[in-house]
Amino acid sequence: MLNQYGYPSPEQVKSKFPSLEILVKPKAIVECYEKIPCNPCSTSCPFKAITIGEDINNTPVVDFDKCTGCGICVYSCPGLAITVCEVLEDKVRFKIPYEFLPIPKQGELWHAVNRKGEVIGEAYIEKVTLTPRQDKTQLVQVLVDKELLYEFVTIRSQDYE
Amino acid sequence: MILNRDLVIIGAGPSGLCAAKMAAEAGQKVLLIDRNPQLGGQLIKQTHMFFGSEKQYAKTRGFDIAKKLIDDVKKYPDLVEIWDNSTVVGLYSDKVLTVLTGETYRKVQAKAIIVATGASEKVLAFENNDLPGIYGAGAVQTLMNVYGVKPGEKIVMVGSGNIGLIVSYQLMQAGVKVLAVIEAAKVIGGYKVHASKLRRLGVDIITSCTIKKAIGKDKVEKIVTVRLNEKWEEIPGTEKEYEVDAVCIAVGLSPLTNLLAMIGCELKYVGELGGLVPVLSKDYETTIEGVYACGDASGIEEASSAMVEGYITGLVAAKKLGKVHPQYDELMVDLRKQLDILRSGPFGEKIRKGLAKLEGVKEVC
Amino acid sequence: MMRIKEHPILDFSKERKIISFTFNGQEVYGYEGDTIASALSALGVKEFSVSIKHKRPRGFYCAIGNCSSCHMIVDGVPNVKTCITLLKEGMKVETQTNKGELYDLK
């Protein structure tokens, strides 16, 4: 499925999520399914929570005990394959990378989109950060309904045709 | 009148720039020639973050890598002479180059030459493939990211290798609608993370599909795609029309070896490396003594490998001319290790096969 | 107009000097930093040359000086690769329809 259509199967996606008990604290979900020579997620993590090793073709492994969900890996991944996830009472909080215009603003309501690019619900924009270190990749914090935990991956402007 | 230079590097893309930097670090005088108004080769139009490791500037955007590499070279104004807007029009076996800069024609006698001329986009044969509005994908990247001009409003991308996928994403960033990415093979050719980014945007990626023809009077207005079976034959009845005002062809690159062919060094056809490539020693020397080749001109790979190859070739060429870098041995070991790691994964398989063919050695594993 | 004004990664907001030139006799303009080809593309011009035998319209293909699809006559000089030639004030740009004739270098 990934190799033919470009999006992972539901099983592949679930395999990158830790258990719901662990997700009460924000954790990095690293959706890197393929061996490519790349390691910025590992070298950027200040808590050494992501391991790749000397062979940079290895897929990254997250140590959820060390991960604090800070989000540095989210804007460091050249493939934009990482999000941070935190399960709340009836919502899920995600921190996602975003590189398009218009830039979302706090308080706005945007479409919630799945890995196939389909609109699946609404995303409430909680916070948008851009520091010089992020080098133009916005870090957008959103809230979506809990049932979209394994579906949600990004946002889309409600004005988009 | 003939000008004398020691080391001449043709091409100031990532490979040529890295070769110049390393040679200058070793104390070697360099003449760096590039036919473009700007240095940096194809890096200047790459807006995405690069892969690889920190040593190859992973996580840095391509155009920022170009700035860094150019700065590195400009740190040696007494050693590195730069001729931009200058095309090398002739390369002769006695190491003479002829260079055209505007209306000025100069002849240079070199002692050693590094050919780092990069690659050019392949063309695809289909009906009306010469209609205006049909561009190489790299051309569209140049138009958008260097000159700030949109190539159209509705595009179909042909080819799902890294270039096709990355340029499609950049088109969407520039506000251009990518209707679909079509790929003749059964699977997507490039990194799946690039493909996933596109799917999130609602861009359709269709495999086993190719472009059959383009339609339009003075420019492209529509294209017809068709599905392919396992034998790569068109399946009748699967034609689909798309209304477009531009088409991008991203079907691969070919090394630019015309200067190497002219100088008469041995070239070999290796499909995995993109076409005709020079036969090289482990130190990137061609079959003509003192003439080297590195980067995409020696075989199509990634920018990360082009940079590392450039560093190695710069070191080697400088040493040949008597300037040995103080850390020559340590650097060579580290650089060769970096190349091995970059090539050791599944995406490196094609390169390893190609390189093995070039050396005439059968692939062992 | 095909110019990009806003971009999530790149900055196209800097004011650039306007350069006027002629295209097949018509007064047009581009900006400093443009190549002839990028200025024409921004104006929506797609046909740059015409093939020699069958007179088929040709646009530009590779944008880096390899394919020769963008050859035009600039200030009387034929076979100019417009994709890698910077735009200059007062340039006279014309569609090329033949192999290019010899001209006098004054």
Side-chain angles (χ1 to χ4, degrees):
Chain A
M1 189 171 273
L2 183 64
N3 290 334
Q4 200 179 341
Y5 300 114
Y7 49 78
S9 68
E11 295 75 43
Q12 278 177 304
V13 174
K14 280 222 174 92
S15 73
K16 296 297 183 183
F17 280 78
S19 67
L20 291 172
E21 291 86 49
I22 294 179
L23 282 173
V24 292
K25 292 224 168 100
K27 299 290 173 198
I29 311 296
V30 180
E31 286 196 63
C32 188
Y33 302 105
E34 195 181 34
K35 283 188 153 191
I36 54 181
C38 181
N39 72 353
C41 57
S42 174
T43 53
S44 307
C45 180
F47 304 100
K48 302 231 187 321
I50 305 183
T51 313
I52 286 183
E54 210 192 296
D55 183 356
I56 61 173
N57 289 286
N58 291 331
T59 47
V61 175
V62 183
D63 182 347
F64 292 109
D65 289 329
K66 294 192 180 145
C67 175
T68 64
C70 69
I72 288 177
C73 55
V74 172
Y75 57 77
S76 300
C77 170
L80 300 185
I82 307 179
T83 55
V84 163
C85 177
E86 185 188 355
V87 170
L88 309 168
E89 180 133 355
D90 57 344
K91 294 273 186 199
V92 182
R93 175 179 285 140
F94 277 99
K95 282 192 222 176
I96 62 167
Y98 197 70
E99 289 183 330
F100 287 86
L101 294 175
I103 298 170
K105 291 197 194 66
Q106 190 171 343
E108 284 178 346
L109 215 53
W110 281 47
H111 285 313
V113 171
N114 69 7
R115 288 163 186 77
K116 288 187 194 173
E118 297 161 334
V119 175
I120 49 173
E122 278 181 341
Y124 173 76
I125 312 292
E126 256 193 329
K127 193 162 112 183
V128 181
T129 5
L130 182 65
T131 61
R133 201 175 156 191
Q134 283 168 239
D135 194 12
K136 308 273 179 16
T137 306
Q138 310 277 340
L139 194 62
V140 184
Q141 196 168 296
V142 303
L143 289 177
V144 298
D145 283 335
K146 205 165 172 185
E147 70 222 11
L148 301 179
L149 175 63
Y150 300 115
E151 307 295 321
F152 172 79
V153 79
T154 193
I155 53 177
R156 190 177 297 161
S157 167
Q158 304 217 325
D159 305 319
Y160 188 77
E161 307 118 53
Chain B
M1 195 200 82
I2 202 158
L3 300 165
N4 284 299
R5 294 291 184 274
D6 287 349
L7 176 58
V8 178
I9 300 179
I10 307 174
S15 214
L17 284 169
C18 287
K21 179 209 161 162
M22 217 35 121
E25 243 180 49
Q28 175 59 53
K29 271 191 151 170
V30 174
L31 168 58
L32 184 57
I33 305 176
D34 198 282
R35 69 179 173 190
N36 291 295
Q38 310 107 323
L39 305 184
Q42 305 313 302
L43 284 176
I44 61 171
K45 60 207 201 189
Q46 309 300 341
T47 52
H48 62 285
M49 292 186 275
F50 270 49
F51 292 70
S53 76
E54 270 178 321
K55 287 182 178 160
Q56 299 107 27
Y57 300 105
K59 196 171 100 177
T60 308
R61 297 195 189 272
F63 56 82
D64 286 326
I65 300 181
K67 284 194 196 116
K68 288 200 169 103
L69 295 180
I70 294 169
D71 281 341
D72 279 346
V73 152
K74 291 204 163 148
K75 281 193 193 120
Y76 302 93
D78 298 327
L79 288 173
V80 181
E81 186 186 357
I82 300 173
W83 291 0
D84 56 28
N85 283 301
S86 303
T87 307
V88 175
V89 292
L91 190 60
Y92 301 90
S93 52
D94 51 353
K95 299 200 196 57
V96 166
L97 301 96
T98 49
V99 187
L100 191 63
T101 311
E103 305 253 296
T104 310
Y105 181 77
R106 286 179 278 195
K107 283 195 275 199
V108 178
Q109 172 69 67
K111 292 203 179 123
I113 300 170
I114 300 179
V115 177
T117 44
S120 90
E121 306 222 59
K122 287 189 172 158
V123 198
L124 193 60
F126 55 90
E127 199 179 323
N128 292 326
N129 69 347
D130 62 342
L131 272 177
I134 298 180
Y135 302 99
V140 151
Q141 234 182 357
T142 306
L143 250 190
M144 281 194 297
N145 299 336
V146 179
Y147 300 106
V149 177
K150 280 201 275 197
E153 301 285 356
K154 286 182 299 183
I155 282 189
V156 166
M157 174 68 69
V158 180
S160 73
N162 278 333
I163 292 179
L165 296 172
I166 290 171
V167 176
S168 298
Y169 180 76
Q170 290 171 2
L171 280 161
M172 299 290 282
Q173 283 181 306
V176 180
K177 189 140 193 197
V178 177
L179 301 174
V181 175
I182 63 173
E183 165 62 58
K186 264 169 85 170
V187 291
I188 294 169
Y191 295 168
K192 305 307 168 296
V193 285
H194 288 314
S196 298
K197 282 193 303 193
L198 284 177
R199 298 292 341 208
R200 286 179 220 160
L201 297 168
V203 175
D204 211 1
I205 302 180
I206 308 168
T207 53
S208 298
C209 180
T210 191
I211 181 169
K212 193 181 157 107
K213 70 176 179 190
I215 299 167
K217 190 168 159 287
D218 300 316
K219 54 185 187 217
V220 69
E221 284 153 22
K222 278 192 213 163
I223 59 157
V224 178
T225 63
V226 69
R227 305 304 295 263
L228 301 170
N229 62 20
E230 295 86 44
K231 291 190 222 148
W232 300 72
E233 296 159 336
E234 292 181 6
I235 303 174
T238 62
E239 286 85 358
K240 185 172 172 183
E241 249 184 36
Y242 288 90
E243 256 183 46
V244 293
D245 56 4
V247 181
C248 291
I249 309 290
V251 295
L253 303 173
S254 258
L256 276 170
T257 49
N258 7 28
L259 289 175
L260 291 167
M262 187 174 180
I263 201 175
C265 63
E266 195 184 333
L267 298 173
K268 206 168 167 183
Y269 189 88
V270 181
E272 288 87 351
L273 297 176
L276 268 183
V277 290
V279 170
L280 297 174
S281 72
K282 283 229 148 35
D283 286 341
Y284 294 91
E285 198 172 24
T286 64
T287 49
I288 294 185
E289 193 230 328
V291 178
Y292 304 82
C294 59
D296 271 3
S298 67
I300 305 301
E301 229 177 314
E302 300 280 323
S304 42
S305 322
M307 288 188 252
V308 179
E309 286 188 335
Y311 288 136
I312 295 176
T313 312
L315 280 174
V316 166
K319 184 176 183 198
K320 175 105 184 183
L321 295 171
K323 301 279 186 218
V324 184
H325 192 291
Q327 280 104 43
Y328 185 92
D329 292 320
E330 303 91 74
L331 282 171
M332 284 300 259
V333 167
D334 180 52
L335 290 167
R336 293 214 191 265
K337 193 171 177 197
Q338 281 182 47
L339 267 185
D340 279 339
I341 293 178
L342 287 172
R343 290 171 178 163
S344 63
F347 275 90
E349 197 193 311
K350 198 164 104 171
I351 311 293
R352 296 196 306 271
K353 242 191 189 155
L355 291 171
K357 268 190 190 168
L358 195 58
E359 282 175 48
V361 170
K362 255 189 117 174
E363 180 73 50
V364 177
C365 52
Chain C
M1 234 312 180
M2 303 299 276
R3 297 263 178 198
I4 300 173
K5 294 194 187 66
E6 278 186 320
H7 193 279
I9 310 289
L10 299 163
D11 183 15
F12 291 115
S13 62
K14 202 167 121 196
E15 279 264 351
R16 293 192 287 167
K17 192 171 128 204
I18 292 180
I19 298 183
S20 50
F21 66 107
T22 62
F23 170 56
N24 288 339
Q26 204 185 357
E27 267 241 9
V28 288
Y29 71 97
Y31 291 98
E32 191 169 16
D34 264 339
T35 54
I36 300 170
S38 69
L40 289 174
S41 298
L43 295 167
V45 174
K46 287 235 157 98
E47 184 180 307
F48 282 33
S49 65
V50 173
S51 73
I52 299 164
K53 196 168 167 197
H54 296 289
K55 308 292 173 206
R56 290 168 71 90
R58 290 274 159 83
F60 80 87
Y61 184 81
C62 75
I64 56 171
N66 290 331
C67 72
S68 305
S69 203
C70 67
H71 277 181
M72 297 184 93
I73 305 173
V74 178
D75 292 336
V77 178
N79 298 333
V80 172
K81 286 183 175 171
T82 54
C83 65
I84 52 171
T85 307
L86 285 173
L87 185 66
K88 289 204 186 73
E89 182 72 36
M91 263 180 168
K92 188 169 158 227
V93 178
E94 296 163 291
T95 306
Q96 185 167 329
T97 56
N98 52 24
K99 278 190 197 169
E101 282 153 4
L102 287 175
Y103 63 98
D104 278 321
L105 242 187
K106 285 183 178 60

